Amino acid sequence: MMLKDPSTKYRHFTTVDLPDRQWPNRVQQVAPTWCSVDMRDGNQALIEPMNAERKRRFFDLLVKVGFKQIEVGFPAASQTDFDYVRELVESGAIPDDVTIQVMTQARSHLIERTFEALKGVPRAIVHVYNATAPVFREVVFGVDRAGCIEIATQATREIKAHMQANPQTQWTYQYSPETFCFTELDFALEICEAVTEVFQPSPANKMILNLPTTVEVSTANVFADQIEWFCRHLSCRDSVVISVHPHNDRGTGVSTAEQACLAGAERVEGTLFGNGERTGNVDILTLAMNLYTSGISPQLDFSDIIHVQREVEFCNQLPTHPRHPYAGELVFTAFSGSHQDAIKKGFAHRRNNPDGYWQIPYLPIDPADMGRSYEAVIRVNSQSGKGGVAYLLEQHGIVLPRRLQMEFSGLVQQVADEAGQEITSDMILSCFTDNYLEQGKPYTLQQPRLASEDSCTYLDAQLDIAGARLALSGEGNGPLAALVNAFAQQGLNFDIADYHEHAIRDGAQAEAIAYVEIRVNSQLLFGVGKDNSILQASLKAVVGAVSRATRQGLLKPLHAASVSA
């Protein structure tokens, strides 16, 4: 049961005394170094850890995406991880520009086993860690500060000795004060200074200090203050790479990583889609694409996000949430009518300005950049409006005039209300065809013949009514006026209020579509016609409007005088 006063059980995390903090005014200029920990930190969080096949597929995917540092496992912890590291090394699967990383606890026999797994590797990062926070020192391990430092420095001495004994490999050392985010800052600095004093990195041979948010305990800005404070006070700052390893317990892993980079971090460890223990690790996909949409190359390639998503789902045996940033099925989709109308207008503006900056309402990135189509950008349900309906018809080459958008969206709304579910693009096209394009409900124009004399157009035609024929004839200052006059002679009085036309496709086989709005008494409604001839399409549109007006009771029904042979 939640407490009425949670302050009796939980306390606010202590902020950092850094009144002259600089990071809030900085702007990210380049991508950090990325290190994927999918196959170690992510793997240990899976319900069913990856087997060798899935690990290899994941490794190949990470290489293809562009990761240059990949943590491949904890070889001293299991035979499976040990064998997998050996397979990578012995098969020559590690590209020349990729460095694998392995993790070990600060124990002699585990360190030795780790170097056995790495024998013959061309490049490797050896990552050792120990917990440094008070609750771990006092409750879990029962050591004081000095004892904690001894664990870290002794492991560093042993790792350095193993590296010196195997000079054929290009080694990088990484140390993590595992619980940095809730370790006293002065002690985190002290233990890292002690480790660097033992290892003796230099500007030409840097080591990595990895500062994790093992469990999120503060807002992202407080962690950024911790990073900036640490970077300012570290004595050998030019000889180390500052790395962060954010988790997502408070749901702010992405913000934590972004603000930490502003504060001085140069490297980020995380996973694709944020898989990891509890609420997960920081999501490198989101971080990378946030940079991309700010005009900064992330140095990772997510041009085929659907393939990446499928591979990660296969390897992790976990689904991707449909609202997951950038990758989810619905993240580029609008159901809201006002959103759809804005997106539709944005695309129209983009067609006229294809080379400018991307500015489409509600779409922070062009889906095509990630290999996604525009088909799912606008989807229609009972919450949608005319803009979404019109956009989906445009994908079929049908560009509705604005007033027809309003008229037709009401028909689609009825379908959506009755269906109680999403209305597909094909359902919208079918609704449009049934209501506007299908001839014979109840009239179809047959054999129209036109002649012109002295600025007057004469029309003779047959009107098919359920298989019977009615002769029509009329005259006017153009074909449409002549047809209107022909209907008037049958007692159907209306006039044309608006007219639009366009080609559905280019080329010799192009079809034309015409939209005619008629006024019957004081009411307006549209008819639509489609034909290879724009003239025939226009005539069909008038007949379609008359048919719709008849079905709605605005015009009296006509009856054929004779039955055709």
mmCIF file of all heavy atoms in Angstrom, residues 443 445 459-463 465 469-474 482-494 546 550 555-562:
data_model
loop_
_atom_site.group_PDB
_atom_site.id
_atom_site.type_symbol
_atom_site.label_atom_id
_atom_site.label_comp_id
_atom_site.label_asym_id
_atom_site.label_seq_id
_atom_site.Cartn_x
_atom_site.Cartn_y
_atom_site.Cartn_z
ATOM 1 N N TYR A 443 -28.188 5.511 -62.397
ATOM 2 C CA TYR A 443 -28.039 5.921 -63.792
ATOM 3 C C TYR A 443 -26.622 5.660 -64.313
ATOM 4 O O TYR A 443 -25.627 5.814 -63.587
ATOM 5 C CB TYR A 443 -28.336 7.424 -63.958
ATOM 6 C CG TYR A 443 -29.656 7.867 -63.363
ATOM 7 C CD1 TYR A 443 -29.723 9.005 -62.546
ATOM 8 C CD2 TYR A 443 -30.827 7.164 -63.621
ATOM 9 C CE1 TYR A 443 -30.933 9.435 -62.010
ATOM 10 C CE2 TYR A 443 -32.055 7.581 -63.085
ATOM 11 C CZ TYR A 443 -32.088 8.715 -62.267
ATOM 12 O OH TYR A 443 -33.282 9.119 -61.733
ATOM 13 N N LEU A 445 -24.589 6.807 -68.035
ATOM 14 C CA LEU A 445 -24.673 7.510 -69.318
ATOM 15 C C LEU A 445 -24.082 6.636 -70.413
ATOM 16 O O LEU A 445 -22.964 6.133 -70.284
ATOM 17 C CB LEU A 445 -23.930 8.843 -69.231
ATOM 18 C CG LEU A 445 -24.177 9.827 -70.382
ATOM 19 C CD1 LEU A 445 -25.624 10.330 -70.333
ATOM 20 C CD2 LEU A 445 -23.198 10.995 -70.290
ATOM 21 N N LEU A 459 -25.957 17.882 -77.210
ATOM 22 C CA LEU A 459 -25.698 16.539 -76.686
ATOM 23 C C LEU A 459 -26.888 15.643 -76.942
ATOM 24 O O LEU A 459 -28.051 16.028 -76.714
ATOM 25 C CB LEU A 459 -25.422 16.598 -75.183
ATOM 26 C CG LEU A 459 -25.228 15.253 -74.469
ATOM 27 C CD1 LEU A 459 -24.097 15.316 -73.452
ATOM 28 C CD2 LEU A 459 -26.520 14.814 -73.754
ATOM 29 N N ASP A 460 -26.589 14.427 -77.409
ATOM 30 C CA ASP A 460 -27.569 13.346 -77.489
ATOM 31 C C ASP A 460 -26.948 12.135 -76.809
ATOM 32 O O ASP A 460 -25.778 11.802 -77.051
ATOM 33 C CB ASP A 460 -27.909 13.011 -78.944
ATOM 34 C CG ASP A 460 -28.762 14.093 -79.593
ATOM 35 O OD1 ASP A 460 -29.902 14.281 -79.125
ATOM 36 O OD2 ASP A 460 -28.255 14.745 -80.529
ATOM 37 N N ALA A 461 -27.725 11.473 -75.973
ATOM 38 C CA ALA A 461 -27.192 10.322 -75.238
ATOM 39 C C ALA A 461 -28.329 9.431 -74.785
ATOM 40 O O ALA A 461 -29.519 9.767 -74.919
ATOM 41 C CB ALA A 461 -26.394 10.804 -74.040
ATOM 42 N N GLN A 462 -27.948 8.278 -74.268
ATOM 43 C CA GLN A 462 -28.894 7.354 -73.660
ATOM 44 C C GLN A 462 -28.554 7.240 -72.171
ATOM 45 O O GLN A 462 -27.385 7.135 -71.793
ATOM 46 C CB GLN A 462 -28.806 5.972 -74.314
ATOM 47 C CG GLN A 462 -29.127 5.944 -75.793
ATOM 48 C CD GLN A 462 -30.608 6.115 -76.043
ATOM 49 O OE1 GLN A 462 -31.441 5.554 -75.343
ATOM 50 N NE2 GLN A 462 -30.943 6.938 -77.048
ATOM 51 N N LEU A 463 -29.600 7.258 -71.356
ATOM 52 C CA LEU A 463 -29.402 7.079 -69.913
ATOM 53 C C LEU A 463 -29.899 5.687 -69.547
ATOM 54 O O LEU A 463 -31.080 5.372 -69.696
ATOM 55 C CB LEU A 463 -30.186 8.138 -69.130
ATOM 56 C CG LEU A 463 -29.835 8.252 -67.639
ATOM 57 C CD1 LEU A 463 -28.406 8.791 -67.472
ATOM 58 C CD2 LEU A 463 -30.817 9.178 -66.912
ATOM 59 N N ILE A 465 -31.111 2.942 -67.179
ATOM 60 C CA ILE A 465 -31.769 2.871 -65.873
ATOM 61 C C ILE A 465 -32.165 1.416 -65.656
ATOM 62 O O ILE A 465 -33.173 0.938 -66.181
ATOM 63 C CB ILE A 465 -33.012 3.780 -65.800
ATOM 64 C CG1 ILE A 465 -32.675 5.205 -66.257
ATOM 65 C CG2 ILE A 465 -33.599 3.787 -64.394
ATOM 66 C CD1 ILE A 465 -33.890 6.109 -66.361
ATOM 67 N N ARG A 469 -33.463 2.104 -71.286
ATOM 68 C CA ARG A 469 -32.818 3.294 -71.830
ATOM 69 C C ARG A 469 -33.793 4.469 -71.890
ATOM 70 O O ARG A 469 -34.947 4.311 -72.296
ATOM 71 C CB ARG A 469 -32.280 3.023 -73.236
ATOM 72 C CG ARG A 469 -31.184 1.964 -73.295
ATOM 73 C CD ARG A 469 -29.881 2.472 -72.718
ATOM 74 N NE ARG A 469 -28.861 1.452 -72.680
ATOM 75 C CZ ARG A 469 -28.028 1.197 -73.691
ATOM 76 N NH1 ARG A 469 -28.132 1.861 -74.831
ATOM 77 N NH2 ARG A 469 -27.102 0.275 -73.574
ATOM 78 N N LEU A 470 -33.273 5.623 -71.521
ATOM 79 C CA LEU A 470 -34.018 6.869 -71.640
ATOM 80 C C LEU A 470 -33.212 7.805 -72.525
ATOM 81 O O LEU A 470 -32.026 8.045 -72.270
ATOM 82 C CB LEU A 470 -34.250 7.497 -70.260
ATOM 83 C CG LEU A 470 -34.916 8.885 -70.241
ATOM 84 C CD1 LEU A 470 -36.372 8.793 -70.715
ATOM 85 C CD2 LEU A 470 -34.862 9.482 -68.832
ATOM 86 N N ALA A 471 -33.855 8.357 -73.561
ATOM 87 C CA ALA A 471 -33.156 9.271 -74.467
ATOM 88 C C ALA A 471 -33.001 10.629 -73.812
ATOM 89 O O ALA A 471 -33.946 11.162 -73.215
ATOM 90 C CB ALA A 471 -33.923 9.400 -75.776
ATOM 91 N N LEU A 472 -31.789 11.176 -73.897
ATOM 92 C CA LEU A 472 -31.490 12.505 -73.366
ATOM 93 C C LEU A 472 -30.986 13.383 -74.498
ATOM 94 O O LEU A 472 -30.193 12.931 -75.345
ATOM 95 C CB LEU A 472 -30.408 12.447 -72.272
ATOM 96 C CG LEU A 472 -30.757 11.875 -70.910
ATOM 97 C CD1 LEU A 472 -29.528 11.939 -70.003
ATOM 98 C CD2 LEU A 472 -31.904 12.642 -70.262
ATOM 99 N N SER A 473 -31.408 14.630 -74.486
ATOM 100 C CA SER A 473 -30.842 15.599 -75.425
ATOM 101 C C SER A 473 -30.896 16.962 -74.775
ATOM 102 O O SER A 473 -31.810 17.268 -73.990
ATOM 103 C CB SER A 473 -31.595 15.604 -76.757
ATOM 104 O OG SER A 473 -32.949 15.992 -76.554
ATOM 105 N N GLY A 474 -29.883 17.778 -75.070
ATOM 106 C CA GLY A 474 -29.844 19.108 -74.489
ATOM 107 C C GLY A 474 -28.800 19.953 -75.173
ATOM 108 O O GLY A 474 -28.018 19.461 -76.011
ATOM 109 N N ALA A 482 -24.721 21.378 -71.544
ATOM 110 C CA ALA A 482 -25.664 20.649 -72.386
ATOM 111 C C ALA A 482 -26.273 19.479 -71.628
ATOM 112 O O ALA A 482 -27.481 19.200 -71.753
ATOM 113 C CB ALA A 482 -24.967 20.166 -73.655
ATOM 114 N N LEU A 483 -25.477 18.784 -70.831
ATOM 115 C CA LEU A 483 -25.994 17.663 -70.051
ATOM 116 C C LEU A 483 -26.936 18.142 -68.949
ATOM 117 O O LEU A 483 -27.979 17.524 -68.684
ATOM 118 C CB LEU A 483 -24.829 16.862 -69.457
ATOM 119 C CG LEU A 483 -25.197 15.602 -68.657
ATOM 120 C CD1 LEU A 483 -26.042 14.644 -69.511
ATOM 121 C CD2 LEU A 483 -23.938 14.893 -68.147
ATOM 122 N N VAL A 484 -26.588 19.246 -68.299
ATOM 123 C CA VAL A 484 -27.474 19.825 -67.276
ATOM 124 C C VAL A 484 -28.821 20.183 -67.910
ATOM 125 O O VAL A 484 -29.902 19.924 -67.337
ATOM 126 C CB VAL A 484 -26.822 21.069 -66.627
ATOM 127 C CG1 VAL A 484 -27.836 21.809 -65.748
ATOM 128 C CG2 VAL A 484 -25.603 20.662 -65.807
ATOM 129 N N ASN A 485 -28.776 20.767 -69.123
ATOM 130 C CA ASN A 485 -30.003 21.127 -69.833
ATOM 131 C C ASN A 485 -30.813 19.888 -70.194
ATOM 132 O O ASN A 485 -32.056 19.890 -70.117
ATOM 133 C CB ASN A 485 -29.657 21.920 -71.084
ATOM 134 C CG ASN A 485 -30.896 22.283 -71.908
ATOM 135 O OD1 ASN A 485 -31.153 21.678 -72.944
ATOM 136 N ND2 ASN A 485 -31.671 23.263 -71.418
ATOM 137 N N ALA A 486 -30.142 18.812 -70.575
ATOM 138 C CA ALA A 486 -30.839 17.568 -70.930
ATOM 139 C C ALA A 486 -31.596 17.012 -69.722
ATOM 140 O O ALA A 486 -32.727 16.542 -69.845
ATOM 141 C CB ALA A 486 -29.843 16.545 -71.462
ATOM 142 N N PHE A 487 -30.957 17.065 -68.526
ATOM 143 C CA PHE A 487 -31.659 16.607 -67.335
ATOM 144 C C PHE A 487 -32.814 17.546 -66.987
ATOM 145 O O PHE A 487 -33.875 17.104 -66.510
ATOM 146 C CB PHE A 487 -30.683 16.522 -66.156
ATOM 147 C CG PHE A 487 -29.909 15.238 -66.103
ATOM 148 C CD1 PHE A 487 -28.527 15.225 -66.288
ATOM 149 C CD2 PHE A 487 -30.552 14.031 -65.863
ATOM 150 C CE1 PHE A 487 -27.807 14.046 -66.229
ATOM 151 C CE2 PHE A 487 -29.836 12.836 -65.811
ATOM 152 C CZ PHE A 487 -28.458 12.837 -65.996
ATOM 153 N N ALA A 488 -32.626 18.830 -67.215
ATOM 154 C CA ALA A 488 -33.692 19.787 -66.912
ATOM 155 C C ALA A 488 -34.928 19.488 -67.751
ATOM 156 O O ALA A 488 -36.080 19.654 -67.281
ATOM 157 C CB ALA A 488 -33.195 21.208 -67.155
ATOM 158 N N GLN A 489 -34.707 19.056 -69.013
ATOM 159 C CA GLN A 489 -35.847 18.718 -69.876
ATOM 160 C C GLN A 489 -36.595 17.495 -69.357
ATOM 161 O O GLN A 489 -37.749 17.250 -69.762
ATOM 162 C CB GLN A 489 -35.367 18.492 -71.309
ATOM 163 C CG GLN A 489 -34.836 19.761 -71.972
ATOM 164 C CD GLN A 489 -34.512 19.552 -73.430
ATOM 165 O OE1 GLN A 489 -35.271 18.889 -74.164
ATOM 166 N NE2 GLN A 489 -33.408 20.138 -73.880
ATOM 167 N N GLN A 490 -35.951 16.722 -68.454
ATOM 168 C CA GLN A 490 -36.619 15.571 -67.837
ATOM 169 C C GLN A 490 -37.184 15.942 -66.458
ATOM 170 O O GLN A 490 -37.639 15.084 -65.716
ATOM 171 C CB GLN A 490 -35.630 14.407 -67.693
ATOM 172 C CG GLN A 490 -35.059 13.912 -69.004
ATOM 173 C CD GLN A 490 -36.122 13.305 -69.897
ATOM 174 O OE1 GLN A 490 -37.093 12.681 -69.427
ATOM 175 N NE2 GLN A 490 -35.969 13.498 -71.222
ATOM 176 N N GLY A 491 -37.121 17.231 -66.134
ATOM 177 C CA GLY A 491 -37.688 17.683 -64.867
ATOM 178 C C GLY A 491 -36.719 17.671 -63.697
ATOM 179 O O GLY A 491 -37.129 17.865 -62.548
ATOM 180 N N LEU A 492 -35.434 17.425 -63.968
ATOM 181 C CA LEU A 492 -34.417 17.424 -62.896
ATOM 182 C C LEU A 492 -33.631 18.733 -62.997
ATOM 183 O O LEU A 492 -32.809 18.898 -63.898
ATOM 184 C CB LEU A 492 -33.481 16.220 -63.042
ATOM 185 C CG LEU A 492 -34.128 14.836 -63.078
ATOM 186 C CD1 LEU A 492 -33.054 13.748 -63.030
ATOM 187 C CD2 LEU A 492 -35.130 14.644 -61.952
ATOM 188 N N ASN A 493 -33.889 19.622 -62.074
ATOM 189 C CA ASN A 493 -33.274 20.943 -62.133
ATOM 190 C C ASN A 493 -32.163 21.088 -61.087
ATOM 191 O O ASN A 493 -32.382 20.878 -59.888
ATOM 192 C CB ASN A 493 -34.346 22.018 -61.915
ATOM 193 C CG ASN A 493 -35.374 22.033 -63.017
ATOM 194 O OD1 ASN A 493 -35.048 22.286 -64.184
ATOM 195 N ND2 ASN A 493 -36.623 21.740 -62.675
ATOM 196 N N PHE A 494 -30.993 21.446 -61.551
ATOM 197 C CA PHE A 494 -29.840 21.685 -60.695
ATOM 198 C C PHE A 494 -28.836 22.499 -61.490
ATOM 199 O O PHE A 494 -28.967 22.643 -62.708
ATOM 200 C CB PHE A 494 -29.203 20.367 -60.218
ATOM 201 C CG PHE A 494 -28.690 19.511 -61.350
ATOM 202 C CD1 PHE A 494 -27.384 19.644 -61.815
ATOM 203 C CD2 PHE A 494 -29.513 18.579 -61.974
ATOM 204 C CE1 PHE A 494 -26.912 18.866 -62.863
ATOM 205 C CE2 PHE A 494 -29.061 17.803 -63.019
ATOM 206 C CZ PHE A 494 -27.746 17.942 -63.462
ATOM 207 N N VAL A 546 -26.042 13.346 -60.038
ATOM 208 C CA VAL A 546 -27.496 13.207 -60.176
ATOM 209 C C VAL A 546 -27.961 11.910 -59.517
ATOM 210 O O VAL A 546 -29.005 11.868 -58.843
ATOM 211 C CB VAL A 546 -27.902 13.261 -61.660
ATOM 212 C CG1 VAL A 546 -29.385 12.918 -61.837
ATOM 213 C CG2 VAL A 546 -27.603 14.635 -62.240
ATOM 214 N N THR A 550 -30.522 11.631 -56.415
ATOM 215 C CA THR A 550 -31.739 10.824 -56.516
ATOM 216 C C THR A 550 -31.847 9.861 -55.349
ATOM 217 O O THR A 550 -32.925 9.708 -54.749
ATOM 218 C CB THR A 550 -31.752 10.056 -57.852
ATOM 219 O OG1 THR A 550 -31.654 10.987 -58.940
ATOM 220 C CG2 THR A 550 -33.017 9.219 -58.003
ATOM 221 N N LEU A 555 -33.740 14.698 -55.841
ATOM 222 C CA LEU A 555 -34.281 14.758 -57.199
ATOM 223 C C LEU A 555 -35.224 13.578 -57.388
ATOM 224 O O LEU A 555 -35.003 12.490 -56.838
ATOM 225 C CB LEU A 555 -33.157 14.695 -58.238
ATOM 226 C CG LEU A 555 -32.201 15.893 -58.307
ATOM 227 C CD1 LEU A 555 -31.038 15.584 -59.243
ATOM 228 C CD2 LEU A 555 -32.938 17.150 -58.760
ATOM 229 N N LYS A 556 -36.267 13.785 -58.199
ATOM 230 C CA LYS A 556 -37.220 12.696 -58.447
ATOM 231 C C LYS A 556 -36.555 11.628 -59.319
ATOM 232 O O LYS A 556 -35.698 11.936 -60.154
ATOM 233 C CB LYS A 556 -38.468 13.241 -59.137
ATOM 234 C CG LYS A 556 -38.225 13.692 -60.573
ATOM 235 C CD LYS A 556 -39.495 14.151 -61.250
ATOM 236 C CE LYS A 556 -39.221 14.482 -62.724
ATOM 237 N NZ LYS A 556 -40.455 14.905 -63.441
ATOM 238 N N PRO A 557 -36.911 10.369 -59.157
ATOM 239 C CA PRO A 557 -36.337 9.319 -60.010
ATOM 240 C C PRO A 557 -36.906 9.379 -61.427
ATOM 241 O O PRO A 557 -38.078 9.717 -61.642
ATOM 242 C CB PRO A 557 -36.755 8.031 -59.296
ATOM 243 C CG PRO A 557 -37.976 8.401 -58.522
ATOM 244 C CD PRO A 557 -37.796 9.834 -58.111
ATOM 245 N N LEU A 558 -36.039 9.067 -62.382
ATOM 246 C CA LEU A 558 -36.463 8.995 -63.783
ATOM 247 C C LEU A 558 -36.821 7.560 -64.128
ATOM 248 O O LEU A 558 -36.296 6.603 -63.533
ATOM 249 C CB LEU A 558 -35.336 9.486 -64.701
ATOM 250 C CG LEU A 558 -34.942 10.962 -64.566
ATOM 251 C CD1 LEU A 558 -33.763 11.258 -65.482
ATOM 252 C CD2 LEU A 558 -36.121 11.870 -64.890
ATOM 253 N N HIS A 559 -37.677 7.401 -65.154
ATOM 254 C CA HIS A 559 -38.070 6.071 -65.617
ATOM 255 C C HIS A 559 -37.848 5.993 -67.116
ATOM 256 O O HIS A 559 -38.125 6.933 -67.858
ATOM 257 C CB HIS A 559 -39.537 5.808 -65.281
ATOM 258 C CG HIS A 559 -39.827 5.897 -63.819
ATOM 259 N ND1 HIS A 559 -39.503 4.900 -62.935
ATOM 260 C CD2 HIS A 559 -40.390 6.901 -63.086
ATOM 261 C CE1 HIS A 559 -39.867 5.262 -61.713
ATOM 262 N NE2 HIS A 559 -40.417 6.479 -61.776
ATOM 263 N N ALA A 560 -37.333 4.852 -67.557
ATOM 264 C CA ALA A 560 -37.020 4.683 -68.979
ATOM 265 C C ALA A 560 -38.292 4.545 -69.794
ATOM 266 O O ALA A 560 -39.286 3.955 -69.367
ATOM 267 C CB ALA A 560 -36.137 3.458 -69.176
ATOM 268 N N ALA A 561 -38.238 5.074 -71.041
ATOM 269 C CA ALA A 561 -39.407 5.001 -71.923
ATOM 270 C C ALA A 561 -39.449 3.687 -72.680
ATOM 271 O O ALA A 561 -40.493 3.231 -73.106
ATOM 272 C CB ALA A 561 -39.387 6.167 -72.909
ATOM 273 N N SER A 562 -38.255 3.056 -72.884
ATOM 274 C CA SER A 562 -38.235 1.804 -73.640
ATOM 275 C C SER A 562 -37.091 0.944 -73.138
ATOM 276 O O SER A 562 -36.139 1.435 -72.549
ATOM 277 C CB SER A 562 -38.065 2.091 -75.129
ATOM 278 O OG SER A 562 -36.839 2.741 -75.365
#
